[in-house]
Amino acid sequence: MKPLTVIGFLGSTLDASKYGPTRWNKWRPSVGIHMHEDLRVDNFVMLHGDRHGRLAQFIADDIESVSPETSVQRHLVDFDDPWDFEEVYGKLLDFTRGFDFDPEANDYLIHITTGTHVAQICLFLLTEARYLPGKLLQTQPERGGAPRAAGSWTTIDLDLSRYDSIASRFAGEVEESTSFLKSGIDTQNTAFNRMIDEIEQVAIRSTAPILLMGPTGAGKSQLARRIYELKRLKHQIAGPFVEVNCATLKGDSAMSALFGHRKGAFTGAIEGRAGLLKSADTGMLFLDEIGELGLDEQAIILRAVEEKRFLPVGADAESASDFQLIAGTNSNLADAVVGGSFREDLLARLNLWTFSLPGLAERREDIEPNLDYELDRFAEREGSRVQFNMEARNRYLDFATSPAAIWSGNFRDLASSVTRMATLSSTGRIGKSMVTAEINRLENLWGVDRSASTDMLDAYLDQGAIDQIDPFDRVQLVEAIRTCQASRTLSEAGRKLFAASRLRRKSANDADRLRKYLARFDLDWKIITDG
């Protein structure tokens, strides 16, 4: 067993008593600690003020009489005002920094029963922050037991992971928080889920700027708002969510929009304007496409982030705004720094927490849960529930998760696609023909060259057979042929083509699946690779 050191305040009231044998009938916390057979204290560090020196010595002598093996170290800590939190915390912090702690060789208990309430709170906070590397010790008078003078004791370990029920609750809350950030969508992409786990930790434990990178439509704006709403749920932020697309801020109006202006600051400034930064005070400012800001605006943003102050246009006095910042961009800011269009110091300030959101084409396994999410959003928005027929749903998902679907607009394309089909579905059911029409719309949107696809099929099928194949199936078949031509074996081609769905299967015979698929069109591996 390691030697045990107890650190605690002298109780100027609880430890005090008249000298004489009757004092042993009274519970005195600092003495009672040393009267328990199941709590062997090797060192007792007694914190006390100069005016209580005589009482401290009196208690030290009584401790020695009941526990001769205990070494009592009196440590003078004087407070001008023992109820001043800042002073008490500061002096106790100085004590912890000057004390020679050795957690590898000693155990420590921090006695929080004595001292003022402020002192007890400070001891708790310093223990929680690991400045005091031990557990809390709480003592109380014995209720109807003996010996009365010893009282009872218990320890509290602030490492909450040691308590199964508490740890389970925290794990559940973390899961709720990450689900909240994903808008309740049961995403399957491992890299994306890992990133959301990190963002959840950063959102709760940090007020530093966050930089969200990713292509247009990847969900940066929605994620920024969810981060804000999570912080509000955790009571970490009180003000509004203020969002602006920096690409819309051009010329002289950019300064005024961001930082406000004084009445009469320029021609047309009939009234003063607070500006977006001031509007975000005590809240969150989301600067989407921050790379579009001019260098002058970037310089003021940097100072506002670091010092929470900025100068409105035409003003003589600075304005203050204590906001948290999330920035978004679809460009490479490091390249912009090299090109001279983005400030290196601002990027360094934003770059503490940088997260890159993948596009939808990189998260094909998440298309199905997002499809359901978009149907729910449509129902909530329009007050009408629309569903797919099973055959139509499978057909849409086959196309959506195939390499033929490039999703250049990412989640915006998916949301628009679902909205179109749901709006045109007068019966509340999306059928196969509607899916086929929507696939054609998406191909037109993305500029898919159908003639090139037909030309490739001409090498393997006659025109009559091609005419019997739906446009959707032609695109899928062309992709299968191209993948076979680029692969060494049928199994390798199958792994590529069924990359998402194979993860959901208990056993994946990709070669057999691909062989059966090609057989539907009277094709096989030999015909394609020899051709």
Side-chain angles (χ1 to χ4, degrees), residues 7-12 45-53 56 73-99 101 114-116 118-120 122-123 126 132:
I7 301 172
F9 276 96
L10 172 71
S12 60
V45 180
M46 185 194 305
L47 309 176
H48 65 89
D50 186 51
R51 61 192 293 259
H52 298 120
Q73 302 172 36
R74 293 169 50 188
H75 192 96
L76 191 65
V77 181
D78 263 323
F79 304 117
D80 294 331
D81 182 356
W83 297 96
D84 184 327
F85 177 83
E86 184 175 6
E87 180 192 2
V88 174
Y89 187 90
K91 289 189 175 179
L92 286 177
L93 179 60
D94 291 339
F95 161 74
T96 64
R97 288 173 170 168
F99 194 87
F101 289 105
T114 52
T116 65
V118 170
Q120 293 169 5
C122 290
L123 288 177
L126 289 166
L132 291 168

Side-chain angles (χ1 to χ4, degrees), residues 181 199 202-203 207-213 220-229 231 237 241-244 246 283-290 301 305 323-329 350 353 355:
L181 288 177
I199 291 176
V202 173
T207 60
I210 295 174
L211 178 61
L212 301 178
M213 303 179 67
K220 299 186 292 294
S221 295
Q222 181 173 345
L223 180 56
R225 182 173 286 278
R226 298 301 280 185
I227 292 172
Y228 162 76
E229 290 172 352
K231 283 178 174 285
I237 204 167
F241 179 79
V242 178
E243 177 179 359
V244 60
C246 297
M284 178 170 286
L285 177 65
F286 176 50
L287 295 179
D288 197 11
E289 304 306 341
I290 192 171
I301 288 289
V305 170
F323 61 89
Q324 295 183 35
L325 176 66
I326 297 180
T329 182
L350 297 175
W353 298 113
F355 300 97

